[in-house]
Every structure is written in structure tokens, then in C-alpha cells.
Amino acid sequence: MLEKTNLELQLRQQRNKRIPSEDILAAVQNIFDANESNRTAISNRLAGEASACAATNYNPALLEGKNIFHTTDIRKICVEYRLRFLDSHYFKKAIPDEAISKIRRMEQEHGTTFDSYKIMAPAKLLKLENADDPLLFLSLGNDYYYLIHKWGNDLHPLRKWLMWPYKCFENLVVSVFFISIFLTAITPLHLFTGGTEVSNQEYLLMFLFMFKSVGGIVLFYGFAKGKNFNNAIWNSKYYNA
């Protein structure tokens, strides 16, 4: 009777002919050490000051067109949702391992290293100087950026509309106008007129009072907190800009 072939035993014998198991452990350890060294170097470049020069030694044929964005598109989204677009070293939290793996894979494919990264995220996730959805970009030059990785939770579905008043001065005035109309409509004016019928002139006076009051509160809050409009802060590194 012939013995059955043990595939595991055959595999081990074939490997041992090529290289001893002790040498394999050393080779694997060297691979892990090199991998960890590369990942540490990438993390340091992400956390350090970004290079003033964009990436140039990349192969355009290896890039995916769907991940390339112009500053015009990035600025519009930042203004719409009140986000910041800054160098990666401003990011407060740790860059996820998956993003670092993608960078390492890209560097191996392109045969170079990259050191000019940008982050798109809400201001609360960035370390801003005094004066829920990050996206990591690589600068390609000529105002083009390559999206490498997105992580975290998606933005609140109403964030765009909640941030609409802060988009520009005109939006703020329109918001104050409609808020004043709403407050005027729910104000029981008959309590101030002794129960008599309220005239249109009294409604108009109440609206003007509400508009002035709401506008004053908004301006006071804006000046006190040093706030500015979305189109002025999307790429500002100052939290009170």
C-alpha cells in the first residue's frame, strides 16, 4: 500500500531545500522592519511642515482621473459646508493606517516619495493658530490635488443648509430678514395694544425692531468670536478668522 501524500510536509520540504526556516524568520523580520520604517517616514512627513513644492516625480498614467480635483472645486465645497483645506500637519488626530498604506503603495508604484499633503476637514479637527470627515489630498501642482483617502463619518445631511447663512454677507442678511419675519409673526402684538386690532403699521414697526435686534445679536456674536464668512476662511490657518 502506498502512503498518501502530505501536502504540508511536501511544502515544508520544498521550502527547506530553498532556504532554512531560521533564515526565513530573519528575512520576514527584515521585511517587517522595512515596512515599519517606511510607514514611520510617511507619518513623519504627514505630521511635518508640507513642502512648498508639489509632487513632480509621479507617473500620470498611474493616477485615477476620478480622484483628481482642482482648487476651484475644493474651494466651492469648503465654502458650501464651512470646511478648511490646510496642510496635513494641522490635523489634530492620527492619520489612519489605511491612508498610510495607500500612500506607501503609491510611492512604490511611482518610485518616489511625496511630502506635500492637504487635509479637508471641519475646523474642530484641525490645529488652528490664533489670529466629522477628513479628506487627504496630495498636491500635484497647478492647483490640482489628488484624493488619496477619506475616513470618518459623513457630514450631517443638513450641514450645507445650516452653514448657508455664513457663506457670505448677502446670505446672512437674507437669513436675518426671514428670522425677523418669523419672530414678528409669532409675537402676540395684541398684548401690547390692549387687545385692540393690530394694524399693518404696528406689524411693520415690530418687524423693524426684530430685524435690528437679530442683526445686532448676530453682529455682536460675530465680532466677539472673531468669526468670518466661509469664502474667507476655507484655507485660513487661524481659528478666529
Side-chain angles (χ1 to χ4, degrees):
M1 299 293 292
L2 298 175
E3 292 186 8
K4 294 183 178 179
T5 300
N6 186 323
L7 286 180
E8 180 183 355
L9 179 60
Q10 295 297 319
L11 183 61
R12 292 181 185 277
Q13 290 176 347
Q14 175 59 38
R15 184 207 55 196
N16 291 337
K17 290 178 183 178
R18 183 177 57 85
I19 182 173
S21 57
E22 295 80 6
D23 293 341
I24 283 185
L25 287 175
V28 170
Q29 185 61 48
N30 289 335
I31 293 173
F32 283 137
D33 290 343
N35 180 36
E36 187 61 31
S37 177
N38 289 339
R39 298 177 71 86
T40 301
I42 292 171
S43 297
N44 291 337
R45 291 199 296 274
L46 286 167
E49 293 284 343
S51 171
C53 300
T56 55
N57 297 326
Y58 60 88
N59 184 354
L62 298 177
L63 300 178
E64 296 185 48
K66 65 179 182 180
N67 289 336
I68 299 176
F69 300 90
H70 191 263
T71 303
T72 304
D73 307 310
I74 294 172
R75 181 184 184 278
K76 182 173 179 59
I77 294 301
C78 287
V79 170
E80 291 281 352
Y81 292 94
R82 198 172 178 83
L83 305 174
R84 300 289 179 98
F85 185 63
L86 297 173
D87 293 342
S88 59
H89 73 269
Y90 285 107
F91 192 62
K92 288 180 180 179
K93 300 181 179 180
I95 303 293
D97 291 337
E98 186 178 356
I100 294 177
S101 296
K102 288 183 178 179
I103 294 174
R104 182 171 176 270
R105 186 161 56 249
M106 279 188 63
E107 291 183 343
Q108 290 176 338
E109 291 173 350
H110 292 266
T112 186
T113 58
F114 303 123
D115 56 3
S116 183
Y117 299 97
K118 293 277 190 177
I119 288 279
M120 179 195 289
K124 65 181 181 180
L125 296 181
L126 300 167
K127 297 177 287 188
L128 304 182
E129 299 177 10
N130 186 8
D132 273 30
D133 302 74
L135 277 72
L136 177 64
F137 291 86
L138 171 68
S139 176
L140 299 177
N142 296 322
D143 290 333
Y144 282 96
Y145 296 89
Y146 188 77
L147 176 61
I148 295 178
H149 187 61
K150 173 190 177 297
W151 67 97
N153 299 319
D154 290 335
L155 292 174
H156 191 281
L158 298 180
R159 181 181 177 93
K160 178 178 179 179
W161 304 110
L162 293 174
M163 297 300 147
W164 186 85
Y166 309 109
K167 187 175 180 180
C168 60
F169 180 74
E170 292 78 7
N171 288 17
L172 184 63
V173 173
V174 171
S175 300
V176 171
F177 179 82
F178 282 105
I179 290 174
S180 301
I181 290 179
F182 173 74
L183 293 176
T184 300
I186 65 174
T187 301
L189 288 179
H190 62 276
L191 297 179
F192 302 100
T193 59
T196 59
E197 185 177 351
V198 181
S199 64
N200 291 334
Q201 289 81 359
E202 289 170 323
Y203 272 113
L204 178 60
L205 289 174
M206 176 57 71
F207 166 76
L208 294 175
F209 173 79
M210 287 295 185
F211 186 81
K212 182 176 68 174
S213 301
V214 174
I217 292 172
V218 169
L219 289 176
F220 175 78
Y221 173 79
F223 282 115
K225 298 292 186 179
K227 300 298 181 181
N228 208 332
F229 297 106
N230 298 0
N231 55 9
I233 67 167
W234 73 277
N235 61 349
S236 174
K237 63 181 181 179
Y238 301 105
Y239 71 79
N240 58 346

PDB file of all heavy atoms in Angstrom, residues 147-179:
ATOM      1  N   LEU A 147      -6.933  63.025  -4.551  1.00  0.00           N
ATOM      2  CA  LEU A 147      -7.562  62.474  -3.356  1.00  0.00           C
ATOM      3  C   LEU A 147      -6.993  61.096  -3.065  1.00  0.00           C
ATOM      4  O   LEU A 147      -7.140  60.173  -3.871  1.00  0.00           O
ATOM      5  CB  LEU A 147      -9.073  62.391  -3.538  1.00  0.00           C
ATOM      6  CG  LEU A 147      -9.858  61.741  -2.386  1.00  0.00           C
ATOM      7  CD1 LEU A 147      -9.681  62.527  -1.097  1.00  0.00           C
ATOM      8  CD2 LEU A 147     -11.338  61.636  -2.744  1.00  0.00           C
ATOM      9  N   ILE A 148      -6.358  60.956  -1.894  1.00  0.00           N
ATOM     10  CA  ILE A 148      -5.748  59.681  -1.512  1.00  0.00           C
ATOM     11  C   ILE A 148      -6.688  58.848  -0.658  1.00  0.00           C
ATOM     12  O   ILE A 148      -6.886  57.666  -0.899  1.00  0.00           O
ATOM     13  CB  ILE A 148      -4.430  59.919  -0.755  1.00  0.00           C
ATOM     14  CG1 ILE A 148      -3.396  60.563  -1.683  1.00  0.00           C
ATOM     15  CG2 ILE A 148      -3.880  58.622  -0.168  1.00  0.00           C
ATOM     16  CD1 ILE A 148      -2.084  60.874  -1.010  1.00  0.00           C
ATOM     17  N   HIS A 149      -7.318  59.489   0.337  1.00  0.00           N
ATOM     18  CA  HIS A 149      -8.108  58.688   1.282  1.00  0.00           C
ATOM     19  C   HIS A 149      -9.140  59.566   1.985  1.00  0.00           C
ATOM     20  O   HIS A 149      -8.902  60.749   2.238  1.00  0.00           O
ATOM     21  CB  HIS A 149      -7.175  58.051   2.323  1.00  0.00           C
ATOM     22  CG  HIS A 149      -7.861  57.078   3.234  1.00  0.00           C
ATOM     23  ND1 HIS A 149      -8.481  55.934   2.775  1.00  0.00           N
ATOM     24  CD2 HIS A 149      -8.025  57.079   4.589  1.00  0.00           C
ATOM     25  CE1 HIS A 149      -9.003  55.272   3.806  1.00  0.00           C
ATOM     26  NE2 HIS A 149      -8.734  55.946   4.905  1.00  0.00           N
ATOM     27  N   LYS A 150     -10.290  58.963   2.275  1.00  0.00           N
ATOM     28  CA  LYS A 150     -11.346  59.599   3.071  1.00  0.00           C
ATOM     29  C   LYS A 150     -11.669  58.681   4.226  1.00  0.00           C
ATOM     30  O   LYS A 150     -11.742  57.470   4.056  1.00  0.00           O
ATOM     31  CB  LYS A 150     -12.599  59.834   2.226  1.00  0.00           C
ATOM     32  CG  LYS A 150     -13.797  60.339   3.040  1.00  0.00           C
ATOM     33  CD  LYS A 150     -15.068  60.316   2.205  1.00  0.00           C
ATOM     34  CE  LYS A 150     -16.279  60.736   3.029  1.00  0.00           C
ATOM     35  NZ  LYS A 150     -16.564  59.824   4.159  1.00  0.00           N
ATOM     36  N   TRP A 151     -11.860  59.250   5.412  1.00  0.00           N
ATOM     37  CA  TRP A 151     -12.219  58.419   6.558  1.00  0.00           C
ATOM     38  C   TRP A 151     -13.168  59.189   7.466  1.00  0.00           C
ATOM     39  O   TRP A 151     -13.524  60.331   7.194  1.00  0.00           O
ATOM     40  CB  TRP A 151     -10.969  57.962   7.315  1.00  0.00           C
ATOM     41  CG  TRP A 151     -10.192  59.038   8.023  1.00  0.00           C
ATOM     42  CD1 TRP A 151     -10.259  59.397   9.336  1.00  0.00           C
ATOM     43  CD2 TRP A 151      -9.199  59.906   7.446  1.00  0.00           C
ATOM     44  NE1 TRP A 151      -9.380  60.405   9.618  1.00  0.00           N
ATOM     45  CE2 TRP A 151      -8.712  60.726   8.480  1.00  0.00           C
ATOM     46  CE3 TRP A 151      -8.674  60.061   6.171  1.00  0.00           C
ATOM     47  CZ2 TRP A 151      -7.732  61.700   8.272  1.00  0.00           C
ATOM     48  CZ3 TRP A 151      -7.698  61.017   5.954  1.00  0.00           C
ATOM     49  CH2 TRP A 151      -7.237  61.816   6.992  1.00  0.00           C
ATOM     50  N   GLY A 152     -13.594  58.545   8.548  1.00  0.00           N
ATOM     51  CA  GLY A 152     -14.533  59.194   9.468  1.00  0.00           C
ATOM     52  C   GLY A 152     -15.964  59.054   8.996  1.00  0.00           C
ATOM     53  O   GLY A 152     -16.280  58.361   8.025  1.00  0.00           O
ATOM     54  N   ASN A 153     -16.853  59.734   9.696  1.00  0.00           N
ATOM     55  CA  ASN A 153     -18.274  59.704   9.366  1.00  0.00           C
ATOM     56  C   ASN A 153     -18.603  60.781   8.343  1.00  0.00           C
ATOM     57  O   ASN A 153     -17.894  61.781   8.215  1.00  0.00           O
ATOM     58  CB  ASN A 153     -19.121  59.930  10.631  1.00  0.00           C
ATOM     59  CG  ASN A 153     -18.895  58.854  11.664  1.00  0.00           C
ATOM     60  OD1 ASN A 153     -18.790  57.676  11.335  1.00  0.00           O
ATOM     61  ND2 ASN A 153     -18.795  59.244  12.928  1.00  0.00           N
ATOM     62  N   ASP A 154     -19.706  60.586   7.621  1.00  0.00           N
ATOM     63  CA  ASP A 154     -20.156  61.597   6.679  1.00  0.00           C
ATOM     64  C   ASP A 154     -20.696  62.806   7.425  1.00  0.00           C
ATOM     65  O   ASP A 154     -21.091  62.721   8.592  1.00  0.00           O
ATOM     66  CB  ASP A 154     -21.250  61.025   5.769  1.00  0.00           C
ATOM     67  CG  ASP A 154     -20.702  59.996   4.792  1.00  0.00           C
ATOM     68  OD1 ASP A 154     -19.497  60.085   4.492  1.00  0.00           O
ATOM     69  OD2 ASP A 154     -21.463  59.117   4.361  1.00  0.00           O
ATOM     70  N   LEU A 155     -20.744  63.944   6.733  1.00  0.00           N
ATOM     71  CA  LEU A 155     -21.269  65.164   7.338  1.00  0.00           C
ATOM     72  C   LEU A 155     -22.771  65.026   7.580  1.00  0.00           C
ATOM     73  O   LEU A 155     -23.462  64.251   6.928  1.00  0.00           O
ATOM     74  CB  LEU A 155     -21.016  66.357   6.415  1.00  0.00           C
ATOM     75  CG  LEU A 155     -19.561  66.788   6.216  1.00  0.00           C
ATOM     76  CD1 LEU A 155     -19.493  67.875   5.152  1.00  0.00           C
ATOM     77  CD2 LEU A 155     -18.955  67.288   7.514  1.00  0.00           C
ATOM     78  N   HIS A 156     -23.254  65.824   8.535  1.00  0.00           N
ATOM     79  CA  HIS A 156     -24.697  65.850   8.802  1.00  0.00           C
ATOM     80  C   HIS A 156     -25.425  66.277   7.524  1.00  0.00           C
ATOM     81  O   HIS A 156     -24.977  67.195   6.820  1.00  0.00           O
ATOM     82  CB  HIS A 156     -24.991  66.853   9.930  1.00  0.00           C
ATOM     83  CG  HIS A 156     -26.388  66.763  10.455  1.00  0.00           C
ATOM     84  ND1 HIS A 156     -27.456  67.325   9.800  1.00  0.00           N
ATOM     85  CD2 HIS A 156     -26.890  66.160  11.569  1.00  0.00           C
ATOM     86  CE1 HIS A 156     -28.561  67.090  10.487  1.00  0.00           C
ATOM     87  NE2 HIS A 156     -28.252  66.377  11.559  1.00  0.00           N
ATOM     88  N   PRO A 157     -26.550  65.619   7.188  1.00  0.00           N
ATOM     89  CA  PRO A 157     -27.238  65.933   5.925  1.00  0.00           C
ATOM     90  C   PRO A 157     -27.712  67.380   5.823  1.00  0.00           C
ATOM     91  O   PRO A 157     -27.925  67.886   4.720  1.00  0.00           O
ATOM     92  CB  PRO A 157     -28.420  64.951   5.916  1.00  0.00           C
ATOM     93  CG  PRO A 157     -28.584  64.513   7.341  1.00  0.00           C
ATOM     94  CD  PRO A 157     -27.216  64.531   7.934  1.00  0.00           C
ATOM     95  N   LEU A 158     -27.899  68.061   6.960  1.00  0.00           N
ATOM     96  CA  LEU A 158     -28.370  69.449   6.936  1.00  0.00           C
ATOM     97  C   LEU A 158     -27.238  70.454   7.090  1.00  0.00           C
ATOM     98  O   LEU A 158     -27.503  71.655   7.172  1.00  0.00           O
ATOM     99  CB  LEU A 158     -29.396  69.666   8.057  1.00  0.00           C
ATOM    100  CG  LEU A 158     -30.672  68.828   7.979  1.00  0.00           C
ATOM    101  CD1 LEU A 158     -31.589  69.147   9.151  1.00  0.00           C
ATOM    102  CD2 LEU A 158     -31.401  69.081   6.655  1.00  0.00           C
ATOM    103  N   ARG A 159     -25.980  69.983   7.128  1.00  0.00           N
ATOM    104  CA  ARG A 159     -24.876  70.912   7.373  1.00  0.00           C
ATOM    105  C   ARG A 159     -24.795  72.002   6.302  1.00  0.00           C
ATOM    106  O   ARG A 159     -24.556  73.170   6.609  1.00  0.00           O
ATOM    107  CB  ARG A 159     -23.543  70.150   7.439  1.00  0.00           C
ATOM    108  CG  ARG A 159     -22.357  71.077   7.718  1.00  0.00           C
ATOM    109  CD  ARG A 159     -21.032  70.349   7.768  1.00  0.00           C
ATOM    110  NE  ARG A 159     -19.931  71.278   7.968  1.00  0.00           N
ATOM    111  CZ  ARG A 159     -19.425  71.602   9.152  1.00  0.00           C
ATOM    112  NH1 ARG A 159     -19.925  71.073  10.257  1.00  0.00           N
ATOM    113  NH2 ARG A 159     -18.426  72.456   9.245  1.00  0.00           N
ATOM    114  N   LYS A 160     -25.027  71.629   5.049  1.00  0.00           N
ATOM    115  CA  LYS A 160     -24.942  72.606   3.967  1.00  0.00           C
ATOM    116  C   LYS A 160     -25.906  73.757   4.202  1.00  0.00           C
ATOM    117  O   LYS A 160     -25.563  74.938   4.007  1.00  0.00           O
ATOM    118  CB  LYS A 160     -25.236  71.933   2.624  1.00  0.00           C
ATOM    119  CG  LYS A 160     -25.214  72.883   1.439  1.00  0.00           C
ATOM    120  CD  LYS A 160     -25.476  72.140   0.145  1.00  0.00           C
ATOM    121  CE  LYS A 160     -25.466  73.103  -1.041  1.00  0.00           C
ATOM    122  NZ  LYS A 160     -25.690  72.379  -2.327  1.00  0.00           N
ATOM    123  N   TRP A 161     -27.139  73.432   4.651  1.00  0.00           N
ATOM    124  CA  TRP A 161     -28.150  74.466   4.858  1.00  0.00           C
ATOM    125  C   TRP A 161     -27.922  75.206   6.172  1.00  0.00           C
ATOM    126  O   TRP A 161     -28.194  76.402   6.262  1.00  0.00           O
ATOM    127  CB  TRP A 161     -29.541  73.829   4.826  1.00  0.00           C
ATOM    128  CG  TRP A 161     -29.768  73.078   3.553  1.00  0.00           C
ATOM    129  CD1 TRP A 161     -29.865  71.727   3.384  1.00  0.00           C
ATOM    130  CD2 TRP A 161     -29.877  73.640   2.233  1.00  0.00           C
ATOM    131  NE1 TRP A 161     -30.031  71.410   2.062  1.00  0.00           N
ATOM    132  CE2 TRP A 161     -30.050  72.554   1.335  1.00  0.00           C
ATOM    133  CE3 TRP A 161     -29.853  74.948   1.744  1.00  0.00           C
ATOM    134  CZ2 TRP A 161     -30.198  72.753  -0.033  1.00  0.00           C
ATOM    135  CZ3 TRP A 161     -29.982  75.136   0.376  1.00  0.00           C
ATOM    136  CH2 TRP A 161     -30.163  74.051  -0.491  1.00  0.00           C
ATOM    137  N   LEU A 162     -27.410  74.509   7.176  1.00  0.00           N
ATOM    138  CA  LEU A 162     -27.112  75.182   8.438  1.00  0.00           C
ATOM    139  C   LEU A 162     -25.963  76.180   8.286  1.00  0.00           C
ATOM    140  O   LEU A 162     -25.908  77.185   8.995  1.00  0.00           O
ATOM    141  CB  LEU A 162     -26.761  74.142   9.511  1.00  0.00           C
ATOM    142  CG  LEU A 162     -27.897  73.221   9.962  1.00  0.00           C
ATOM    143  CD1 LEU A 162     -27.380  72.152  10.908  1.00  0.00           C
ATOM    144  CD2 LEU A 162     -29.009  74.023  10.630  1.00  0.00           C
ATOM    145  N   MET A 163     -25.046  75.901   7.365  1.00  0.00           N
ATOM    146  CA  MET A 163     -23.911  76.787   7.134  1.00  0.00           C
ATOM    147  C   MET A 163     -24.182  77.823   6.049  1.00  0.00           C
ATOM    148  O   MET A 163     -23.345  78.678   5.789  1.00  0.00           O
ATOM    149  CB  MET A 163     -22.676  75.959   6.747  1.00  0.00           C
ATOM    150  CG  MET A 163     -22.227  75.009   7.831  1.00  0.00           C
ATOM    151  SD  MET A 163     -21.786  75.906   9.353  1.00  0.00           S
ATOM    152  CE  MET A 163     -22.271  74.708  10.603  1.00  0.00           C
ATOM    153  N   TRP A 164     -25.360  77.742   5.415  1.00  0.00           N
ATOM    154  CA  TRP A 164     -25.688  78.668   4.329  1.00  0.00           C
ATOM    155  C   TRP A 164     -25.629  80.135   4.754  1.00  0.00           C
ATOM    156  O   TRP A 164     -25.097  80.963   4.015  1.00  0.00           O
ATOM    157  CB  TRP A 164     -27.072  78.325   3.772  1.00  0.00           C
ATOM    158  CG  TRP A 164     -27.452  79.114   2.549  1.00  0.00           C
ATOM    159  CD1 TRP A 164     -27.131  78.829   1.262  1.00  0.00           C
ATOM    160  CD2 TRP A 164     -28.236  80.314   2.518  1.00  0.00           C
ATOM    161  NE1 TRP A 164     -27.664  79.772   0.423  1.00  0.00           N
ATOM    162  CE2 TRP A 164     -28.340  80.696   1.168  1.00  0.00           C
ATOM    163  CE3 TRP A 164     -28.854  81.098   3.492  1.00  0.00           C
ATOM    164  CZ2 TRP A 164     -29.036  81.838   0.761  1.00  0.00           C
ATOM    165  CZ3 TRP A 164     -29.545  82.241   3.097  1.00  0.00           C
ATOM    166  CH2 TRP A 164     -29.639  82.599   1.744  1.00  0.00           C
ATOM    167  N   PRO A 165     -26.134  80.514   5.925  1.00  0.00           N
ATOM    168  CA  PRO A 165     -26.058  81.931   6.323  1.00  0.00           C
ATOM    169  C   PRO A 165     -24.640  82.466   6.435  1.00  0.00           C
ATOM    170  O   PRO A 165     -24.415  83.669   6.294  1.00  0.00           O
ATOM    171  CB  PRO A 165     -26.760  81.949   7.693  1.00  0.00           C
ATOM    172  CG  PRO A 165     -27.639  80.746   7.692  1.00  0.00           C
ATOM    173  CD  PRO A 165     -26.882  79.721   6.908  1.00  0.00           C
ATOM    174  N   TYR A 166     -23.663  81.578   6.705  1.00  0.00           N
ATOM    175  CA  TYR A 166     -22.279  82.033   6.901  1.00  0.00           C
ATOM    176  C   TYR A 166     -21.478  82.055   5.600  1.00  0.00           C
ATOM    177  O   TYR A 166     -20.286  82.377   5.618  1.00  0.00           O
ATOM    178  CB  TYR A 166     -21.565  81.109   7.900  1.00  0.00           C
ATOM    179  CG  TYR A 166     -22.336  80.892   9.177  1.00  0.00           C
ATOM    180  CD1 TYR A 166     -22.935  79.659   9.440  1.00  0.00           C
ATOM    181  CD2 TYR A 166     -22.485  81.908  10.113  1.00  0.00           C
ATOM    182  CE1 TYR A 166     -23.656  79.458  10.603  1.00  0.00           C
ATOM    183  CE2 TYR A 166     -23.202  81.707  11.274  1.00  0.00           C
ATOM    184  CZ  TYR A 166     -23.783  80.477  11.516  1.00  0.00           C
ATOM    185  OH  TYR A 166     -24.502  80.280  12.660  1.00  0.00           O
ATOM    186  N   LYS A 167     -22.130  81.701   4.501  1.00  0.00           N
ATOM    187  CA  LYS A 167     -21.425  81.603   3.227  1.00  0.00           C
ATOM    188  C   LYS A 167     -20.910  82.964   2.766  1.00  0.00           C
ATOM    189  O   LYS A 167     -19.777  83.085   2.289  1.00  0.00           O
ATOM    190  CB  LYS A 167     -22.356  80.989   2.177  1.00  0.00           C
ATOM    191  CG  LYS A 167     -21.696  80.677   0.861  1.00  0.00           C
ATOM    192  CD  LYS A 167     -22.669  79.962  -0.059  1.00  0.00           C
ATOM    193  CE  LYS A 167     -22.024  79.644  -1.405  1.00  0.00           C
ATOM    194  NZ  LYS A 167     -22.970  78.946  -2.308  1.00  0.00           N
ATOM    195  N   CYS A 168     -21.733  83.999   2.893  1.00  0.00           N
ATOM    196  CA  CYS A 168     -21.329  85.357   2.510  1.00  0.00           C
ATOM    197  C   CYS A 168     -22.239  86.350   3.218  1.00  0.00           C
ATOM    198  O   CYS A 168     -23.239  85.970   3.846  1.00  0.00           O
ATOM    199  CB  CYS A 168     -21.387  85.548   0.992  1.00  0.00           C
ATOM    200  SG  CYS A 168     -23.035  85.281   0.296  1.00  0.00           S
ATOM    201  N   PHE A 169     -21.932  87.637   3.110  1.00  0.00           N
ATOM    202  CA  PHE A 169     -22.690  88.677   3.814  1.00  0.00           C
ATOM    203  C   PHE A 169     -24.141  88.726   3.335  1.00  0.00           C
ATOM    204  O   PHE A 169     -25.066  88.904   4.135  1.00  0.00           O
ATOM    205  CB  PHE A 169     -22.016  90.038   3.605  1.00  0.00           C
ATOM    206  CG  PHE A 169     -22.727  91.174   4.284  1.00  0.00           C
ATOM    207  CD1 PHE A 169     -22.656  91.327   5.659  1.00  0.00           C
ATOM    208  CD2 PHE A 169     -23.489  92.066   3.547  1.00  0.00           C
ATOM    209  CE1 PHE A 169     -23.318  92.372   6.293  1.00  0.00           C
ATOM    210  CE2 PHE A 169     -24.157  93.107   4.172  1.00  0.00           C
ATOM    211  CZ  PHE A 169     -24.075  93.270   5.548  1.00  0.00           C
ATOM    212  N   GLU A 170     -24.344  88.565   2.024  1.00  0.00           N
ATOM    213  CA  GLU A 170     -25.706  88.621   1.483  1.00  0.00           C
ATOM    214  C   GLU A 170     -26.583  87.511   2.071  1.00  0.00           C
ATOM    215  O   GLU A 170     -27.758  87.744   2.415  1.00  0.00           O
ATOM    216  CB  GLU A 170     -25.674  88.510  -0.046  1.00  0.00           C
ATOM    217  CG  GLU A 170     -25.058  89.697  -0.767  1.00  0.00           C
ATOM    218  CD  GLU A 170     -23.544  89.700  -0.718  1.00  0.00           C
ATOM    219  OE1 GLU A 170     -22.971  88.703  -0.238  1.00  0.00           O
ATOM    220  OE2 GLU A 170     -22.936  90.693  -1.174  1.00  0.00           O
ATOM    221  N   ASN A 171     -26.027  86.306   2.199  1.00  0.00           N
ATOM    222  CA  ASN A 171     -26.791  85.204   2.789  1.00  0.00           C
ATOM    223  C   ASN A 171     -27.156  85.489   4.227  1.00  0.00           C
ATOM    224  O   ASN A 171     -28.250  85.149   4.695  1.00  0.00           O
ATOM    225  CB  ASN A 171     -25.968  83.917   2.718  1.00  0.00           C
ATOM    226  CG  ASN A 171     -25.862  83.370   1.312  1.00  0.00           C
ATOM    227  OD1 ASN A 171     -26.120  84.081   0.350  1.00  0.00           O
ATOM    228  ND2 ASN A 171     -25.479  82.112   1.181  1.00  0.00           N
ATOM    229  N   LEU A 172     -26.238  86.122   4.964  1.00  0.00           N
ATOM    230  CA  LEU A 172     -26.506  86.444   6.364  1.00  0.00           C
ATOM    231  C   LEU A 172     -27.646  87.448   6.486  1.00  0.00           C
ATOM    232  O   LEU A 172     -28.522  87.299   7.339  1.00  0.00           O
ATOM    233  CB  LEU A 172     -25.230  87.004   7.008  1.00  0.00           C
ATOM    234  CG  LEU A 172     -25.314  87.295   8.505  1.00  0.00           C
ATOM    235  CD1 LEU A 172     -25.571  86.008   9.287  1.00  0.00           C
ATOM    236  CD2 LEU A 172     -24.030  87.963   9.000  1.00  0.00           C
ATOM    237  N   VAL A 173     -27.648  88.458   5.620  1.00  0.00           N
ATOM    238  CA  VAL A 173     -28.715  89.467   5.651  1.00  0.00           C
ATOM    239  C   VAL A 173     -30.069  88.821   5.333  1.00  0.00           C
ATOM    240  O   VAL A 173     -31.081  89.093   6.006  1.00  0.00           O
ATOM    241  CB  VAL A 173     -28.415  90.595   4.654  1.00  0.00           C
ATOM    242  CG1 VAL A 173     -29.608  91.551   4.547  1.00  0.00           C
ATOM    243  CG2 VAL A 173     -27.177  91.380   5.096  1.00  0.00           C
ATOM    244  N   VAL A 174     -30.096  87.952   4.331  1.00  0.00           N
ATOM    245  CA  VAL A 174     -31.352  87.265   3.972  1.00  0.00           C
ATOM    246  C   VAL A 174     -31.832  86.399   5.131  1.00  0.00           C
ATOM    247  O   VAL A 174     -33.030  86.366   5.444  1.00  0.00           O
ATOM    248  CB  VAL A 174     -31.148  86.413   2.701  1.00  0.00           C
ATOM    249  CG1 VAL A 174     -32.370  85.531   2.452  1.00  0.00           C
ATOM    250  CG2 VAL A 174     -30.889  87.302   1.501  1.00  0.00           C
ATOM    251  N   SER A 175     -30.919  85.717   5.811  1.00  0.00           N
ATOM    252  CA  SER A 175     -31.284  84.862   6.948  1.00  0.00           C
ATOM    253  C   SER A 175     -31.866  85.700   8.089  1.00  0.00           C
ATOM    254  O   SER A 175     -32.885  85.324   8.681  1.00  0.00           O
ATOM    255  CB  SER A 175     -30.054  84.084   7.438  1.00  0.00           C
ATOM    256  OG  SER A 175     -29.540  83.268   6.425  1.00  0.00           O
ATOM    257  N   VAL A 176     -31.205  86.815   8.391  1.00  0.00           N
ATOM    258  CA  VAL A 176     -31.708  87.704   9.450  1.00  0.00           C
ATOM    259  C   VAL A 176     -33.083  88.240   9.076  1.00  0.00           C
ATOM    260  O   VAL A 176     -33.984  88.351   9.930  1.00  0.00           O
ATOM    261  CB  VAL A 176     -30.723  88.867   9.685  1.00  0.00           C
ATOM    262  CG1 VAL A 176     -31.333  89.913  10.609  1.00  0.00           C
ATOM    263  CG2 VAL A 176     -29.417  88.341  10.275  1.00  0.00           C
ATOM    264  N   PHE A 177     -33.291  88.532   7.795  1.00  0.00           N
ATOM    265  CA  PHE A 177     -34.575  89.049   7.317  1.00  0.00           C
ATOM    266  C   PHE A 177     -35.704  88.057   7.586  1.00  0.00           C
ATOM    267  O   PHE A 177     -36.748  88.407   8.159  1.00  0.00           O
ATOM    268  CB  PHE A 177     -34.466  89.358   5.822  1.00  0.00           C
ATOM    269  CG  PHE A 177     -35.736  89.866   5.199  1.00  0.00           C
ATOM    270  CD1 PHE A 177     -36.102  91.201   5.305  1.00  0.00           C
ATOM    271  CD2 PHE A 177     -36.569  89.008   4.496  1.00  0.00           C
ATOM    272  CE1 PHE A 177     -37.281  91.664   4.734  1.00  0.00           C
ATOM    273  CE2 PHE A 177     -37.743  89.457   3.919  1.00  0.00           C
ATOM    274  CZ  PHE A 177     -38.096  90.791   4.040  1.00  0.00           C
ATOM    275  N   PHE A 178     -35.499  86.799   7.200  1.00  0.00           N
ATOM    276  CA  PHE A 178     -36.560  85.806   7.362  1.00  0.00           C
ATOM    277  C   PHE A 178     -36.745  85.410   8.831  1.00  0.00           C
ATOM    278  O   PHE A 178     -37.869  85.120   9.256  1.00  0.00           O
ATOM    279  CB  PHE A 178     -36.272  84.579   6.502  1.00  0.00           C
ATOM    280  CG  PHE A 178     -36.586  84.773   5.051  1.00  0.00           C
ATOM    281  CD1 PHE A 178     -35.577  84.955   4.115  1.00  0.00           C
ATOM    282  CD2 PHE A 178     -37.902  84.799   4.620  1.00  0.00           C
ATOM    283  CE1 PHE A 178     -35.876  85.148   2.785  1.00  0.00           C
ATOM    284  CE2 PHE A 178     -38.216  84.978   3.288  1.00  0.00           C
ATOM    285  CZ  PHE A 178     -37.198  85.165   2.360  1.00  0.00           C
ATOM    286  N   ILE A 179     -35.672  85.387   9.598  1.00  0.00           N
ATOM    287  CA  ILE A 179     -35.821  85.126  11.034  1.00  0.00           C
ATOM    288  C   ILE A 179     -36.644  86.231  11.691  1.00  0.00           C
ATOM    289  O   ILE A 179     -37.499  85.963  12.546  1.00  0.00           O
ATOM    290  CB  ILE A 179     -34.434  85.017  11.696  1.00  0.00           C
ATOM    291  CG1 ILE A 179     -33.729  83.745  11.244  1.00  0.00           C
ATOM    292  CG2 ILE A 179     -34.568  85.014  13.223  1.00  0.00           C
ATOM    293  CD1 ILE A 179     -32.305  83.622  11.726  1.00  0.00           C
TER     294      ILE A 179
END
